Amino acid sequence: MANDSNRFQAIISHCKEYGFIFPSSEIYDGLQAVYDYGQWGSELKKNIKDYWWDSMTRMHENIVGIDAAIFMHPTTWKASGHVDNFNDPMIDNKDSKKRYRVDHLIEAFSDELRAAGQNDKADAVLADMDALLAKDDFAGLKKLIEENKIKCAVSGTYNWTDIRQFNLMFSTEFGSTVSSEDADNKVYLRPETAQGIFVNFLNVQKSGRMKIPFGIAQIGKAFRNEIVARQFIFRMREFEQMEMQFFIQPGTQKKWYEFWKEERLKWHTSLGIPADKYRFHDHIKLAHYADAACDIEFEFPMGFKELEGIHSRTDFDLRNHQEYSKKKQQYFDNDIDPATGKPYGNYIPYVIETSIGLDRMFLAVISHAYTEEDLSTPEKKDDRVVLKLPPRLAPMKLAILPLVKKDGLPEIARQIMDECKLHFRCFYEEKDTIGKRYRRMDAIGTPFCVTVDHQSKEDNTVTIRHRDSMKQERVPITSVKELVLNAIR
RNA sequence: GCGGAAGUAGCUCACCUGGUAGAGCGACAGCUUCCCAAGCUGUAGGUAGCGGGUUCGAGUCCCGUCUUCCGCUCCA
């Protein structure tokens, strides 16, 4: 455990030291749970995005992508349930330091009453609670807790703090004349990208002539005010999601849920990360919108944690948007129902969602790639840190290194550089000993280094050095580009 | 949010019981080098997280504050 923690710390340090991830606004002491991607981090992140985007939209002919705005009409969040369901009032017990959701605390109390046979009183307490919650009457709720002498299960006392509201969503003012008085000006920064897909469901379906089943994919930023946000980029206030909402016939959700579970796991393992680093975790307690849900968990340095969620969202979202917007969110299905011999007709589609945290995927990839190797021989102590990134995700694909910076070697190296840089990211370096340069490339995960030596002048060959094995082979200069392209495709 | 620990050069750390900050690595420039870090020379870089107090004098003692880490707590 201490070892894993050290490893996690080492990964975080490495990310900063080698230009992958910096704390946000660091010169001002940072901003909690916000991070910036540096020169290599942004490349790696982009490569992950591209890999996801291509495998979703290009490999599935019935999935298209969109890029919806972060700002959305405030009613969106009423329809989605975020305004009502996720602004939970909380209360802390001063003795046990334990924090409760006020509704959970009172509901547990009413369950106790029921168990004691006091059904009437249990109902009365719940009714009072609902009325007070609806009014956001926190003082009244606290009074309700105190009057009923509701105790903390841990400390057994009723020494409570005032009730506070924890807002999940960030909000800001909309419009050029700012007036905090005017609630109508309030817009939220989206807490999930999914709603941008749902509100565009019909736009995409009609303009793209999409037939069910079909999917809409999106990559974008989302924002959540986490109560505690820690663990590096695992839980950030500003993060990026890669989501796909798959629209299906009602009644087929079970089949498609299983399909996407399998499909998504295949995507993960296709990167070459071993399957035993992943596991499914089925949700027992389902969110308000789902009829089945699971996580794909990854074995991060701090243990197995959620990396991706696959949710069967029913028609909850589209149905609510239909209700709140008064616009039909229906699809007319012309396919023939074998049971009746007639078209299926109009319905609100059901939805299977796959939602992966891009930043978490980044953390998964880099923490799996991070390797400390002991290369000591009896004569000499030696070690290296190498990022064994999948070549297609590596920020830099090829380093081109003249063995010495004279005798015409840099010129040959430059020619290779000019040839290759049109096709993938290359790095030219003539400083320091060759060993140092190899190790620097290992540290950022560059899969290939070619070295130009004196033999190159004679027979137009170079050595290509493989990152993971450190093995070298001599190849014709003309084959370098194809060799790298084959590895990153 | 609570409890504990820590904040000195890019990184890892030193400065013992207060007397005006140092090393290694790294970076940069050059030399050397025919294939895996630690060969040579030189250069740059710190008002010791920030603010206040005690003192003739504070990195070193005290208080506050910020940040980070560990544990607890919460999570769609």
Side-chain angles (χ1 to χ4, degrees), chain A residues 45 91 116 127 220 249:
Chain A
K45 188 179 176 192
I91 192 165
Q249 263 184 14

Side-chain angles (χ1 to χ4, degrees), chain A residues 74 172-180 182-188:
Chain A
T172 187
E173 303 293 326
F174 208 62
S176 52
T177 52
V178 173
S179 139
S180 53
D182 191 352
D184 293 343
N185 276 347
K186 189 172 180 174
V187 293
Y188 295 103

Side-chain angles (χ1 to χ4, degrees), chain A residues 436-461:
Chain A
K436 254 187 189 170
R437 284 179 275 170
Y438 285 155
R439 299 301 171 86
R440 275 203 284 261
M441 287 298 109
D442 288 342
I444 64 167
T446 307
F448 302 104
C449 298
V450 296
T451 302
V452 179
D453 58 17
H454 285 77
Q455 191 183 330
S456 308
K457 289 197 291 186
E458 286 151 27
D459 63 5
N460 286 308
T461 61

Side-chain angles (χ1 to χ4, degrees), chain A residues 35 53 188 205 274 314 428 432 434 463 477 482-483:
Chain A
Y35 289 89
W53 185 262
Y188 295 103
Q205 189 272 318
T314 70
Y428 177 85
D432 289 318
I434 192 70
T463 58
I477 289 174
E482 279 307 313
L483 209 152

Side-chain angles (χ1 to χ4, degrees), chain A residues 11 18 56 115 128 152 221 250 260 278-279 295 329 438 466:
Chain A
I11 291 166
Y18 288 92
M56 277 296 178
D128 285 352
C152 166
K221 291 274 178 106
W260 280 109
Y278 296 91
R279 72 180 186 200
D295 298 333
Q329 299 297 308
Y438 285 155
H466 298 267

Side-chain angles (χ1 to χ4, degrees), chain A residues 384-402:
Chain A
R384 68 165 180 162
V385 172
V386 51
L387 294 184
K388 297 187 171 180
L389 296 167
R392 64 173 308 148
L393 298 184
M396 190 67 69
K397 309 301 188 191
L398 176 69
I400 299 160
L401 316 168

Side-chain angles (χ1 to χ4, degrees), chain A residues 351-362:
Chain A
V351 172
I352 304 296
E353 167 189 273
T354 73
S355 172
I356 175 169
L358 173 53
D359 310 279
R360 288 182 179 186
M361 188 63 198
F362 185 106

Side-chain angles (χ1 to χ4, degrees), chain A residues 216-252:
Chain A
I216 303 176
Q218 177 169 220
I219 300 176
K221 291 274 178 106
F223 305 83
R224 294 180 189 178
N225 239 327
E226 301 287 351
I227 295 171
V228 270
R230 260 192 239 171
Q231 308 209 34
F232 195 41
I233 57 169
F234 184 80
R235 178 164 284 128
M236 293 196 291
R237 295 219 155 92
E238 172 180 344
F239 59 102
E240 200 153 1
Q241 293 182 306
M242 303 190 289
E243 289 199 323
M244 191 276 298
Q245 307 293 335
F246 198 69
F247 299 91
I248 56 172
Q249 263 184 14
T252 62

